[in-house]
Amino acid sequence: MKHLVSAGDLTREEILGLFRVAADLKHGWKVGRREAPLAGRSIALIFEKPSLRTRVTFEVGALQLGARGVYLAGGEIGLGTREAVPDVARNLSLWVDAIAARVYAHATVESLAAHAGIPVINGLSDAEHPCQALADFFTLWERGLDLGAIRVAWIGDGNNVCHSLLLTGALLGASMVVACPPGYEPAAAVQARVRRLGGRLDIVHDPRDAATGADVLYTDVWISMGQEAERVQRLEAFSRYQVNERLLGFAKPTALVMHCLPAHRGEEITDAVLDGPRSVALEQAENRLHAQKAVLFELLGASLDDA
Ligand code: CP
Ligand code: NVA
């Protein structure tokens, strides 16, 4: 692993290796192990968009590993406006050991990776959210699900989180189905990449078809950051795609409900389902911390002997 820009850049072995490191770091932290394998290191945290989970988990994750996060608001550093993206990448490479970036255009994080001499981590772009997908599949793996045998149903927008989930699912052998309104399918390039990776992917338009027999129902907001101007048409397009108790009734009785959060309660998911016994949304949120610590640990070449 050199960068984490797209979920599809990893191999199955790298993903499973990250899960093992994440589980070890999670357990170690909980039993009071306090190594600092990244002592003295720094990680630039660039955010062009708002965040709760990603910012806190990168800052706290860095701290728990002995490193320091340096938060940089997008508006302040002006990626591509105040300064060209390659110049930002080259400069940061002189001072810090890694960059995590939440950006609008996916090309921005690709450009950071192309020009930085240090690892670059995508903390969400318009096209992908690989850290989220790693935490999500880590959550399922940790619960003992057979990732090569499960059927994961994505209900709603074929968006950035969906893209990374599909790519990770393909690498891990999960069977994936997306139920979305016509016109809101995952990007054709992502669908093609999923299939090239040997992934099993169905696209349907009736959420009940996707939910039937599913082990996991996953949903996300209908209006992602940057799409606020499309609010009216999106609310209309997605009105039949709510994850509620009726839809959950089509899934396996043991099915888990996932949401990357933040949720728009009453839109893509009801309170009863998000707060209900099948929901693992808070486990996913907790595991963002552990999965990203594993990513930092691996990308920065840490070993517990350094501690
Ligand atoms: N799921 C997620 O990335 O949350 P934030 O937008 O709050 O970082
Ligand atoms: N699809 C959402 C995910 C937020 C974590 C967005 O991009 O706003």
Side-chain angles (χ1 to χ4, degrees):
M1 265 175 87
K2 205 163 153 234
H3 302 288
L4 180 58
V5 171
S6 165
D9 294 342
L10 297 172
T11 65
R12 173 187 153 79
E13 277 320 308
E14 283 170 333
I15 295 172
L16 294 174
L18 284 170
F19 291 174
R20 287 188 287 271
V21 172
D24 182 51
L25 292 171
K26 180 175 182 175
H27 173 74
W29 188 263
K30 290 197 175 188
V31 299
R33 222 169 63 200
R34 293 290 182 268
E35 306 98 327
L38 299 182
R41 313 274 200 107
S42 309
I43 297 139
L45 305 173
I46 298 174
F47 282 82
E48 290 189 330
K49 298 175 178 175
S51 168
L52 174 69
R53 279 146 292 273
T54 307
R55 178 174 176 183
V56 173
T57 52
F58 268 115
E59 290 209 19
V60 172
L63 182 73
Q64 291 184 0
L65 291 167
R68 177 192 168 115
V70 180
Y71 177 77
L72 299 163
E76 193 168 324
I77 60 171
L79 271 179
T81 51
R82 181 173 183 270
E83 188 159 10
V85 175
D87 287 336
V88 173
R90 291 184 193 109
N91 277 259
L92 285 174
S93 304
L94 304 172
W95 314 309
V96 301
D97 301 285
I99 301 170
R102 166 164 290 195
V103 297
Y104 284 95
H106 188 68
T108 301
V109 68
E110 288 180 326
S111 176
L112 286 170
H115 296 96
I118 53 177
V120 172
I121 302 166
N122 181 354
L124 181 146
S125 67
D126 285 348
E128 282 215 42
H129 198 358
C131 295
Q132 182 70 51
L134 285 175
D136 296 338
F137 274 102
F138 173 60
T139 301
L140 300 176
W141 176 86
E142 192 183 37
R143 279 179 157 259
L145 274 74
D146 179 353
L147 302 183
I150 55 171
R151 179 123 169 120
V152 178
W154 177 274
I155 313 290
D157 192 13
N159 63 15
N160 45 6
V161 175
C162 177
H163 289 162
S164 292
L165 201 76
L166 295 181
L167 290 163
T168 308
L171 286 161
L172 293 172
S175 160
M176 312 288 295
V177 54
V178 174
C180 59
Y184 293 94
E185 292 83 2
V190 173
Q191 291 190 45
R193 198 164 170 208
V194 164
R195 297 207 164 92
R196 272 202 307 279
L197 291 170
R200 292 171 288 158
L201 170 62
D202 299 310
I203 309 282
V204 300
H205 297 302
D206 186 334
R208 292 167 301 188
D209 290 342
T212 301
D215 298 282
V216 173
L217 292 189
Y218 199 128
T219 192
D220 182 16
V221 292
W222 294 337
I223 300 143
S224 285
M225 292 179 277
Q227 297 173 334
E228 292 76 10
E230 299 170 35
R231 179 168 179 79
V232 173
Q233 78 229 43
R234 283 180 166 267
L235 286 180
E236 160 93 25
F238 288 104
S239 60
R240 289 193 312 115
Y241 291 81
Q242 185 183 66
V243 174
N244 51 35
E245 284 175 308
R246 197 161 39 80
L247 188 68
L248 187 53
F250 286 87
K252 285 189 182 163
T254 52
L256 300 176
V257 174
M258 304 187 86
H259 195 307
C260 55
L261 305 176
H264 289 173
R265 291 168 175 268
E267 290 184 13
E268 77 278 0
I269 194 162
T270 58
D271 288 339
V273 173
L274 186 59
D275 301 330
R278 311 307 322 159
S279 171
V280 295
L282 288 176
E283 285 174 41
Q284 296 171 254
E286 183 188 352
N287 282 333
R288 292 292 304 281
L289 175 66
H290 309 296
Q292 285 158 209
K293 281 173 73 176
V295 169
L296 291 173
F297 191 89
E298 291 290 306
L299 281 177
L300 294 179
S303 93
L304 287 177
D305 300 330
D306 295 340

